[in-house]
Amino acid sequence: MREFEFHVPTKILFGSGAEEKTGAAAAAEGAGRVLVLYGGGSAVRGGLVDRVKLSLAQAGIDCAVKGGVRPNPVLEFALETVREYRDQGIGLVLAVGGGSVMDTAKAVAAGLASSAAGMEEAFRGRAPLGAALGVGAVVTMAASGSETSPTAVLSDGRTHEKLICTSPLLVPRFAILNPELTCTTPPLQTACGAADILMHTLERYCADLGGNALTDALAEGLMRTVVEYGPRCLAEPGDYAARSELMWCGSLSHCGLTGLGRDNGFPVHRLGHELAARYDIPHGMSLTILWPHWARAARRVLAPRLARLARTVFGAAEPEEDAASLACIHAVSAWFEGLGLPVSFAQAPMGREEDQVLAQFAARCTSGGTAPLGGLCPLDYGQVLAVYRAANGG
Ligand code: NZQ
Ligand code: ZN
């Protein structure tokens, strides 16, 4: 077994009505005053923000509340929030929402513990993150896994570049997971969330050909669960059991558990961030558009892995590795399409793109052609451009 480190300090409070424990969880962190962040209003419409405020009040915790985080959240909003609340005695930032709200909360927590400028430097990769307040999350959507991850992803609102900051300081201290809260997630977001959850483990699975047997077994079990319950959540949005399975998969898929002992460049995420940033499409959709085409390019190295995935997760019967690896790409693509998600530019809201824009994407993914896109099968500039062209329709 290959060496690894594993430390996920997030306290998970899972179950119906779990948001009523928010106050106690924040008090256990010695929170003092809490800044509650939410998104465009879904958490207000369902009364969730009021329930969270009540729980905090019952624990004797004062709070400030700010909404307005948008999907594909921008750095500028986080900077503005830091400036607004920097002298207000905030001790913990509480996200009530999906990945966009959680990632913004992480950035705000970093900025409040140091400065807006210091936080921006860290997100632009110019300096390490020095400090961050604690973050808590009341999760309303099964998708990003930000509730257990050390990462936050924000966009530069001017250049639309995705800025990624990873630090152990950003791992949330606690996450409230009530699957009922996810039952109102719109179908498109449910589908994109399921795809993102699958991809967090699939990218890790494709980062090695073996080595840690338990890691593989955990990964395959998680992917089988997502493949089964993602479509069930779409068919029966109020199915608590299905929502529970998908939500727990979301939290475990991106905490590192399903990739122990292997390095990962998350190549498809890197490719997809270009699309989500430019076209403002959901993150999960950016991955479904590109994964099949990336997998075809990487198959020369990954065929044994894809063949195993086809058999263990999708029940493929092809005995030959080559045929089974192709069956895998077909099965994953069909699963994405079954969720109603695109597997090409043409099927996506933005439609086909000019070749010169694809060249810009490829250049950014390869540092201007100087560094290959990482992963077990590194792709150079020309190969990355070929992936974008294939996704664009040849
Ligand atoms: O803003 P509101 O009104 O809340 O509506 C949201 C938003 O429009 C809605 N929604 C969420 N929960 C709902 C709901 N609507 C009704 N009922 C509910 N219960 O869904 C829409 C999308 O929300 P968003 O938070 O953007 O989705 P998601 O959780 O997929 O997060 C996507 C963001 O996470 C980043 C992505 O890049 C993207 O910016 N990621 C963060 C990661 C991390 N921190 O580790 C890893 C991921 O790979 C990903 O990159
Ligand atoms: Zn993702």
Side-chain angles (χ1 to χ4, degrees):
M1 187 180 283
R2 301 204 177 95
E3 66 179 30
F4 60 83
E5 291 184 17
F6 185 57
H7 179 221
V8 182
T10 310
K11 179 176 184 178
I12 303 284
L13 297 156
F14 188 100
S16 173
E19 65 273 19
E20 288 164 19
K21 299 175 183 169
T22 309
E29 294 299 328
R33 193 160 191 247
V34 169
L35 173 59
V36 178
L37 291 180
Y38 64 91
S42 71
V44 172
R45 283 191 294 278
L48 176 61
V49 169
D50 282 341
R51 295 203 296 286
V52 166
K53 281 163 64 180
L54 179 64
S55 176
L56 290 169
Q58 286 170 341
I61 294 176
D62 179 34
C63 71
V65 181
K66 181 176 166 101
V69 178
R70 42 156 285 195
N72 288 316
V74 290
L75 175 69
E76 290 78 356
F77 182 92
L79 292 170
E80 170 198 307
T81 307
V82 172
R83 292 188 193 106
E84 195 177 340
Y85 289 96
R86 68 184 155 199
D87 299 320
Q88 298 203 21
I90 302 296
L92 181 128
V93 185
L94 181 68
V96 182
S100 295
V101 180
M102 289 188 269
D103 288 0
T104 301
K106 291 176 179 182
V108 170
L112 289 176
S114 55
S115 64
M119 178 267 278
E120 181 171 1
E121 288 296 287
F123 273 82
R124 293 192 184 282
R126 296 181 191 137
L129 193 68
L133 298 182
V135 172
V138 180
V139 185
T140 64
M141 189 170 150
S144 70
S146 182
E147 64 271 21
T148 53
S149 90
T151 299
V153 185
L154 299 180
S155 295
D156 181 317
R158 198 174 48 81
T159 64
H160 303 295
E161 182 191 2
K162 284 256 183 185
L163 308 168
I164 301 169
C165 183
T166 297
S167 164
L169 296 166
L170 297 180
V171 183
R173 306 276 174 86
F174 64 88
I176 308 278
L177 305 180
N178 174 1
E180 285 163 354
L181 300 178
T182 69
C183 291
T184 54
T185 313
L188 175 65
Q189 297 296 343
T190 297
C192 289
D196 192 22
I197 294 168
L198 184 83
M199 286 300 306
H200 289 156
T201 289
L202 183 47
E203 291 247 57
R204 289 175 166 91
Y205 193 77
C206 289
D208 205 344
L209 296 179
N212 290 30
L214 179 57
T215 298
D216 281 341
L218 290 168
E220 288 161 358
L222 189 145
M223 288 190 283
R224 274 196 298 274
T225 309
V226 178
V227 164
E228 178 175 350
Y229 288 97
R232 277 215 219 172
C233 289
L234 273 182
E236 283 292 336
D239 183 338
Y240 181 82
R243 292 286 187 181
S244 302
E245 297 293 344
L246 192 65
M247 191 170 211
W248 187 221
C249 282
S251 298
L252 291 187
S253 193
H254 206 30
C255 72
L257 181 67
T258 58
L260 296 178
R262 50 195 60 149
D263 293 330
N264 201 318
F266 282 92
V268 185
H269 271 68
R270 181 68 197 84
L271 295 166
H273 283 325
E274 294 297 327
L275 270 51
R278 183 174 180 96
Y279 308 116
D280 203 15
I281 57 173
H283 166 67
M285 181 186 290
S286 75
L287 304 175
T288 66
I289 292 168
L290 291 165
W291 187 84
H293 310 284
W294 171 85
R296 279 188 197 97
R299 200 170 67 91
R300 61 191 160 81
V301 173
L302 286 175
R305 207 67 180 144
L306 296 173
R308 176 173 164 158
L309 181 77
R311 295 175 186 129
T312 57
V313 175
F314 290 96
E318 284 83 350
E320 298 296 329
E321 181 178 285
D322 191 55
S325 68
L326 284 173
C328 175
I329 297 173
H330 180 76
V332 174
S333 303
W335 186 77
F336 289 155
E337 291 186 291
L339 293 172
L341 296 174
V343 293
S344 69
F345 279 65
Q347 295 172 348
M350 69 279 187
R352 294 194 64 185
E353 183 53 279
E354 300 289 326
D355 202 56
Q356 66 192 46
V357 175
L358 306 183
Q360 289 167 11
F361 294 160
R364 276 203 289 266
C365 289
T366 56
S367 303
T370 62
L373 180 70
L376 190 60
C377 179
L379 301 180
D380 64 19
Y381 168 82
Q383 292 166 320
V384 169
L385 180 55
V387 170
Y388 280 119
R389 282 178 173 158
N392 198 34

